[in-house]
């Protein structure tokens, strides 16, 4: 149980393109999902908290207009990288928690999306 | 959230126990200790978590000191597939569930 699916696993596109990444909780409902970014040989950096039915909460330094997050259902959150440029190339990872956030339940992570902007 | 300190790298012989330490000296009473690992080019995998009691599951054991300022993750019989970066994270349960990752320990299991 507690499976999180992320799609696509890899995307290569031209500079200026917008790219959408999907994160699904397959066997549980998630009112909250999280989006992380990871550059080579670095740790994961939290970008934003995605809340079902409300606006996402972005970490300091993350451009909300650049990284659009939508959490329209209890099993799906999407991250859209708008007008992507080479510096946006990274490994993007989502996670979800089985129950509400006021809990000690662990987060479960997707397998990540490797984004390469040419 | 409290900061954690982990050694950047460790080696372990295949079949032996791997003991990964973590210092969290500023941990407060309502913060849990979580362990995750990340195998190259994959998303992190949850291993185990605890508050103050020692915990064991099918993957590992978590030993938390009585003062809660440090903990040790034990992989009882390490295999080559356990080679990964291991992250120790402390998290306050009612602060939106965020996990803040440090640099972790890169564990290399060698034949």
């Amino acid at each position: 149980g507690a499976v999180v699916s992320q799609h696509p696993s890899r995307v290569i596109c031209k500079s200026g393109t917008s790219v959408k990444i999907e994160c699904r909780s397959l066997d549980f409902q998630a009112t909250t999902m999280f989006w992380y970014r990871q550059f080579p040989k670095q740790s994961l950096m939290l970008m934003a908290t995605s809340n079902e039915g409300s606006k996402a909460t972005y970490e300091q330094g993350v451009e909300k207009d650049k990284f659009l997050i939508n959490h329209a259902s209890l099993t799906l959150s999407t991250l859209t990288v708008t007008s992507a440029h080479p510096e946006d190339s990274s490994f993007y990872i989502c996670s979800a928690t089985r129950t509400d956030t006021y809990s000690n339940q662990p987060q479960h992570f997707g397998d990540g999306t490797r984004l390469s902007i040419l | 959230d409290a900061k954690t300190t982990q050694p950047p790298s460790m080696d372990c012989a295949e079949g032996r126990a791997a003991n990964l330490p973590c210092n969290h000296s500023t941990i407060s009473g309502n913060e849990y200790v979580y362990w995750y690992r990340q195998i190259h080019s994959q998303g992190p995998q949850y291993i185990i978590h605890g508050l103050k009691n020692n915990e064991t599951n099918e993957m590992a054991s978590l030993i938390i000191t009585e003062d809660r300022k440090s903990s040790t993750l034990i992989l009882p019989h390490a295999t080559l597939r356990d080679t990964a970066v291991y992250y120790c994270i402390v998290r306050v349960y009612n602060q939106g569930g965020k996990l803040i990752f440090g640099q972790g320990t890169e564990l290399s299991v060698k034949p």
Side-chain angles (χ1 to χ4, degrees):
Chain A
V3 177
V4 175
S5 174
Q6 206 172 321
H7 178 80
S9 58
R10 184 175 181 105
V11 60
I12 302 171
C13 58
K14 294 181 179 180
S15 184
T17 306
S18 292
V19 179
K20 181 185 283 189
I21 302 169
E22 293 185 348
C23 179
R24 296 181 184 273
S25 55
L26 295 185
D27 56 351
F28 65 99
Q29 294 185 330
T31 54
T32 303
M33 293 183 176
F34 302 88
W35 288 96
Y36 296 80
R37 181 168 55 180
Q38 186 176 32
F39 292 108
K41 298 194 181 300
Q42 294 187 21
S43 187
L44 284 78
M45 184 191 78
L46 179 65
M47 299 175 67
T49 302
S50 170
N51 302 297
E52 187 268 336
S54 65
K55 290 184 179 180
T57 304
Y58 291 82
E59 295 298 305
Q60 191 173 10
V62 178
E63 300 175 58
K64 62 181 68 176
D65 295 331
K66 174 76 169 176
F67 300 99
L68 300 180
I69 291 173
N70 183 278
H71 193 154
S73 78
L74 287 172
T75 58
L76 174 64
S77 174
T78 60
L79 169 69
T80 301
V81 184
T82 61
S83 187
H85 292 285
E87 59 267 27
D88 299 321
S89 298
S90 189
F91 192 48
Y92 292 87
I93 310 168
C94 71
S95 71
T97 303
R98 179 180 288 276
T99 57
D100 63 65
T101 58
Y102 295 83
S103 156
N104 67 352
Q105 290 299 308
Q107 289 183 28
H108 297 279
F109 288 79
D111 278 336
T113 297
R114 189 160 302 283
L115 175 62
S116 300
I117 307 297
L118 304 178
Chain B
D1 291 345
K3 284 194 66 175
T4 61
T5 304
Q6 299 178 253
S9 63
M10 291 181 65
D11 290 341
C12 178
E14 188 178 19
R16 304 296 292 269
N19 297 287
L20 293 94
C22 179
N23 284 322
H24 30 79
S25 58
T26 60
I27 194 170
S28 53
N30 59 356
E31 289 187 313
Y32 285 77
V33 180
Y34 291 79
W35 282 84
Y36 287 80
R37 71 181 182 184
Q38 185 178 26
I39 296 169
H40 183 61
S41 296
Q42 297 182 22
Q45 176 188 22
Y46 165 76
I47 301 173
I48 199 167
H49 73 283
L51 183 60
K52 53 185 176 181
N53 297 320
N54 297 338
E55 302 287 345
T56 295
N57 62 21
E58 65 278 4
M59 288 183 68
S61 294
L62 173 60
I63 308 299
I64 303 174
T65 58
E66 193 168 341
D67 62 7
R68 302 186 69 241
K69 292 185 177 182
S70 66
S71 61
T72 301
L73 178 75
I74 300 172
L75 307 179
H77 305 287
T79 70
L80 299 179
R81 290 179 295 178
D82 292 322
T83 292
V85 179
Y86 287 76
Y87 295 99
C88 166
I89 304 168
V90 294
R91 189 190 96 182
V92 180
Y93 78 96
N94 64 345
Q95 284 193 357
K98 294 195 294 188
L99 293 177
I100 306 300
F101 284 77
Q103 294 307 307
T105 295
E106 187 167 9
L107 175 69
S108 296
V109 180
K110 299 182 183 300

